[in-house]
Amino acid sequence: MKKRTKIFYWHAALLLVFMTAGCTDGNDEEPSHSSSPAGESSGINKAETASAAEKKEPVNKDSHHISADKSLSADYSPLQIEYARIWLQLGENQQIDELNVRRIPAGALVNPDDHTSARYPEDVTQLAGSRLVDGSVTYSSNGDGTIQIYNVPLRWESREDTDQGVMKEVTEEMIRHTKKVSVDTGDNEKIRRLIDIMSIY
């Protein structure tokens, strides 16, 4: 009986040793397991850094486009650049000899030759070439890269040719129906050419 008890205790003790060893091995592995994610996370960080570096590459490639815009800003005012970009995008004739810019204040008559005409509700700018065939662009800036286009002719019919009250109606319609347009950045060389032939009144 004593032998059996001893054998039982010996087995129990042996089992306990194995269990303790198992627990200890688990504890030993845990730090290495936790260090593994740390290693992995540092790998992710490297990957993120690499991808961040890769993401910067296109920006650097495009930086010449940005610097080109900066070079424009260094040589010309924001308004000169705006006028040229708008004509480049919307002007009927791109082969003009001069680009005339006329700034018109809010409250001015849409048709300056007719006192019955409606008045502009805001400051507008009119761009035109030196000839009627060059066309014109009349607009107001929204200050966010977009403009409102007013469909206003460069030259109006004489008052004698217009029935009484018609001019007021026509010009009010022009004010009500403006068109919103996003302005493109355009080509820098073409913008420079337009600014060089620009006259602002």
Side-chain angles (χ1 to χ4, degrees):
M1 184 73 179
K2 283 183 182 179
K3 274 187 181 181
R4 284 184 186 172
T5 307
K6 280 181 183 178
I7 289 167
F8 173 78
Y9 282 129
W10 185 79
H11 278 298
L14 193 60
L15 184 63
L16 187 62
V17 168
F18 278 123
M19 286 174 64
T20 309
C23 291
T24 308
D25 287 344
N27 288 340
D28 286 342
E29 282 174 10
E30 202 165 348
S32 70
H33 178 68
S34 64
S35 69
S36 166
E40 283 172 16
S41 68
S42 67
I44 289 166
N45 290 341
K46 283 177 188 171
E48 282 174 357
T49 309
S51 67
E54 286 168 9
K55 282 177 187 172
K56 285 180 184 174
E57 273 186 6
V59 177
N60 292 336
K61 285 175 185 171
D62 289 343
S63 67
H64 113 117
H65 173 70
I66 294 164
S67 64
D69 284 349
K70 283 179 182 173
S71 74
L72 277 179
S73 300
D75 296 334
Y76 307 109
S77 75
L79 280 176
Q80 285 176 309
I81 297 167
E82 176 185 293
Y83 302 147
R85 281 176 173 166
I86 290 168
W87 186 265
L88 192 60
Q89 183 177 342
L90 301 168
E92 286 180 37
N93 181 15
Q94 294 300 315
Q95 306 305 316
I96 54 175
D97 298 323
E98 38 181 281
L99 177 58
N100 298 307
V101 181
R102 191 162 69 94
R103 290 180 283 199
I104 305 167
L109 293 166
V110 175
N111 179 354
D113 301 325
D114 194 325
H115 71 277
T116 66
S117 163
R119 296 176 182 271
Y120 285 110
E122 57 189 342
D123 294 343
V124 299
T125 302
Q126 189 174 70
L127 310 176
S130 56
R131 303 168 300 167
L132 280 175
V133 292
D134 294 332
S136 65
V137 179
T138 303
Y139 74 94
S140 66
S141 177
N142 294 322
D144 60 357
T146 65
I147 57 174
Q148 297 298 133
I149 300 290
Y150 286 81
N151 189 20
V152 174
L154 185 59
R155 190 166 70 184
W156 296 82
E157 293 180 7
S158 65
R159 288 186 60 187
E160 290 76 20
D161 299 332
T162 309
D163 293 337
Q164 192 172 4
V166 170
M167 183 56 65
K168 185 175 188 298
E169 186 181 330
V170 167
T171 50
E172 281 177 351
E173 196 73 10
M174 288 175 176
I175 288 170
R176 277 196 299 269
H177 294 93
T178 60
K179 181 183 176 184
K180 188 175 183 178
V181 173
S182 293
V183 180
D184 299 333
T185 53
D187 178 270
N188 287 337
E189 290 310 310
K190 291 177 180 177
I191 288 168
R192 284 179 182 279
R193 179 192 167 273
L194 286 169
I195 293 174
D196 289 341
I197 60 169
M198 187 180 291
S199 298
I200 302 172
Y201 301 100

